[in-house]
Amino acid sequence: MRIIVPLMSEKTMSLVDKGWFCFTAPLNYTKNIVDHMIRKEYKVTPLEIASIITKPEKRRRGKHFFVTRQTKKFMVKLPKGTKIPGFEAK
């Protein structure tokens, strides 16, 4: 089972051309852990890693309210010409 999950959206796919790849991971993960996991799983060496914690948001579905979970996103910069499978822009 994969703990670090690729984040696919229009915004993250536009960053692929610039060499940035986005992933989500558990809140207790650090940049060092993500660096090790990416080296192990994708066999690439990251140049830079940035982490972002998203706060929970109150959402509404119909007449019911709920709160989204707090998540941690990692943006990984790779050398030019390096690609990760599944991130190819169409």
Side-chain angles (χ1 to χ4, degrees):
M1 187 169 108
R2 195 184 317 195
I3 300 295
I4 297 176
V5 180
L7 185 61
M8 303 286 189
S9 67
E10 288 182 27
K11 188 173 185 178
T12 59
M13 294 308 285
S14 68
L15 292 172
V16 170
D17 297 334
K18 298 174 184 173
W20 288 94
F21 297 85
C22 298
F23 297 90
T24 58
L27 286 173
N28 60 346
Y29 272 32
T30 62
K31 292 178 184 181
N32 290 333
I33 294 172
V34 171
D35 183 21
H36 176 72
M37 296 285 284
I38 288 175
R39 287 174 192 255
K40 183 179 176 184
E41 187 167 337
Y42 296 108
K43 295 173 182 50
V44 295
T45 305
L47 295 176
E48 188 179 338
I49 297 178
S51 63
I52 304 155
I53 296 177
T54 61
K55 296 181 180 178
E57 296 177 353
K58 191 173 184 181
R59 298 286 173 110
R60 181 177 167 194
R61 183 168 292 150
K63 64 179 180 177
H64 302 285
F65 288 92
F66 64 97
V67 178
T68 60
R69 291 185 179 176
Q70 188 175 13
T71 59
K72 196 166 192 179
K73 298 177 186 177
F74 289 93
M75 294 178 60
V76 179
K77 181 151 179 98
L78 298 179
K80 284 189 177 182
T82 307
K83 295 286 182 184
I84 292 180
F87 272 101
E88 290 84 15
K90 295 179 180 177

